[in-house]
Every structure is written in C-alpha cells, then in structure tokens.
Amino acid sequence: MEHKNINVKLKVWRQKNSNDKGTFETYDAKNISQEMSFLEMFDVLNEELIAEGKDPIAFDHDCREGICGMCSMYINGRPHGPWEANTTCQLHMRAFNDGDTIVVEPWRANSFPVIKDLMVDRSAFDRIIQAGGYISVNTGNAVDANALPVDKAKADAAFAAAACIGCGACVAACKNSSAMLFVSAKVAHLNQLPQGEPEKNTRVLNMIAQMDKEGFGACTNTGACEAVCPKEISLTNIARLNADYAVASLTATK
C-alpha cells in the first residue's frame, strides 16, 4: 500500500457546555499520514492548537482498540464514520482523500447532553444497566464449568449480544433517539442464559422503564441502529426484547 500524507479541512462542533449554543469551527489539518487513526489526527490538531494558545478540542477516548465505546463522533453524517462495523478509533485517515472536508459532530440526542465539544454524557446508559443489567448471585466458590448446561445456539446468541460496547451509535443514528438496540442487547445476553432466567421478567420491565425515564424515544423499525452498530448487534434482539416484555407484563404481579 502506498503511504501518503494528506491535507484535510475539518468542520468541528465546538460547544463550551450543555447550556452553550455551540457552533462549527473550521481547521486545516495538514500533512496528515493516512496511516494515522482518526483520533491520532485529532491529537496532532490539538497539539497545534495548544501551541497556538488555543483551547484544544475535547473528545472522548480510552482504549483506542474498539472495545470501550468511548470514541463517539458523528463523522460526515454517520456515527463512527464511513467504514462498516468500525469504531471511530479504528477509523484510519486512508478512508479520506487529499482535500476532503470532514464534518465532525457529537451524538445528537436529548438523553446524551453535550459536556463539551464532541463529548457527551452517556450516564443514562449506566442507569439503565443499574436498573437490571446484572445477575444477582451470592459470592462463594466458583461453580464448575459444566454445572449448568447451556444450549449452543443460545450461548452463541448471548455472546453476540454481549459484544455491545454501549457506544451510543444506535441512539445517534435513530431519528427518535431510541435506545432499544442497546437495551435489547444488554437484556438478551443475560436472559438467554440459565443464570439470568430467575430475574428475566423483572429485568425486562425495570430496564425498559428506566429507558423511558431517561427520555429515549420509541423504536422506529427502520434499522438505522443495526446499520451503524460497530459490533453489528442484530435487530433480532429488539424483537426478542418485545416478546420478553409482553410476557413479563402479562405475568407481573400488581
């Protein structure tokens, strides 16, 4: 592969806090290696801004390996940028051409208020998990690996759902800012396992109730969430969540 350096123009959303109106500001990123990740390009730009005595661009990041879900950016109208099944930190500058204009925004959702610039507060997801995204167990000796038989198909489906990294791209892509794909993944990876069976109904009811409380919208059934999910979480999980919710609602004790 030919190694090239490119020059790009960045239109970046700058916002001091959640109360600030915010605006786009334009920057020229020059002599950028196409082998750089998108976040590394921002590192270079921020070093230049700091050297000029300007405020660097705030953005979330942590592992930079596509695992933690922190690097939430809307790039040219798509969460995490143009590549499929990819997080922002895994996006490289070879996805762009010399002279391109790249528009970068934070997630746009009322339930994800802007902290500063490209950083948003996704603690709403944490509160949904706290409402039921766990299994209550007594601590003690570890159970033998084969003590609880698990159906292979269910184990695979649970594993696929557990791949969700909670980045919020599904919410950002949805015109209703729905969190159904996230909630369904967190419910599915527990409800399909025998360890999650005892709390199955209360888990579904409590997590959906918390999702509604946080102000997320209803599912649009358009599939935009699945299309932009970096871990390719399936819409099948939403169908499963709706079925579990219907059963839990009918059997819930008043």
Side-chain angles (χ1 to χ4, degrees):
M1 181 184 295
E2 183 183 359
H3 177 85
K4 294 195 303 182
N5 287 2
I6 60 175
N7 300 320
V8 295
K9 186 180 294 293
L10 297 169
K11 290 186 176 180
V12 182
W13 183 260
R14 302 303 304 267
Q15 187 172 340
K16 294 180 180 178
N17 52 54
S18 58
N19 297 320
D20 183 40
K21 186 177 180 180
T23 186
F24 281 105
E25 292 188 11
T26 303
Y27 303 94
D28 290 318
K30 299 179 179 179
N31 202 32
I32 299 297
S33 170
Q34 286 192 309
E35 300 307 306
M36 284 184 179
S37 72
F38 199 78
L39 297 189
E40 287 171 336
M41 179 271 296
F42 262 99
D43 291 337
V44 171
L45 176 60
N46 276 342
E47 288 177 359
E48 294 176 358
L49 292 176
I50 292 170
E52 295 170 2
K54 298 178 181 178
D55 191 27
I57 299 165
F59 61 93
D60 267 330
H61 63 98
D62 193 357
C63 74
R64 300 200 177 200
E65 295 179 341
I67 299 170
C68 70
M70 293 290 289
C71 54
S72 47
M73 294 184 190
Y74 222 92
I75 303 168
N76 284 348
R78 181 184 174 92
H80 294 301
W83 286 356
E84 301 287 338
N86 196 82
T87 56
T88 301
C89 62
Q90 294 175 303
L91 177 67
H92 281 67
M93 294 307 295
R94 57 180 174 268
F96 306 97
N97 298 313
D98 187 47
D100 278 357
T101 297
I102 306 172
V103 182
V104 189
E105 306 170 71
W107 288 166
R108 303 290 192 181
N110 288 337
S111 299
F112 290 160
V114 173
I115 298 174
K116 184 179 180 182
D117 298 338
L118 303 175
M119 295 178 65
V120 297
D121 182 357
R122 290 175 297 155
S123 58
F125 273 8
D126 295 330
R127 291 188 289 272
I128 292 174
I129 295 296
Q130 290 167 3
Y134 54 83
I135 293 174
S136 300
V137 294
N138 295 321
T139 58
N141 293 334
V143 179
D144 289 341
N146 296 323
L148 290 173
V150 182
D151 179 81
K152 180 64 165 61
K154 289 185 177 180
D156 289 345
F159 185 84
C164 171
I165 57 176
C167 65
C170 51
V171 175
C174 179
K175 59 187 178 183
N176 281 356
S177 297
S178 174
M180 283 290 282
L181 191 67
F182 166 77
V183 175
S184 68
K186 296 304 178 184
V187 168
H189 89 262
L190 297 176
N191 279 11
Q192 295 186 88
L193 299 177
Q195 295 91 336
E197 182 68 27
E199 296 171 297
K200 180 177 181 179
N201 289 345
T202 56
R203 177 180 299 112
V204 172
L205 295 174
N206 291 343
M207 292 182 72
I208 289 183
Q210 186 64 39
M211 177 187 72
D212 292 340
K213 183 179 178 181
E214 297 295 341
F216 292 103
C219 179
T220 65
N221 295 311
T222 58
C225 53
E226 182 185 43
V228 302
C229 177
K231 298 303 176 182
E232 300 182 297
I233 303 299
S234 173
L235 284 175
T236 304
N237 291 303
I238 296 181
R240 187 179 293 114
L241 175 68
N242 288 331
D244 287 348
Y245 183 76
V247 172
S249 300
L250 292 172
T251 59
T253 55
K254 302 296 184 181

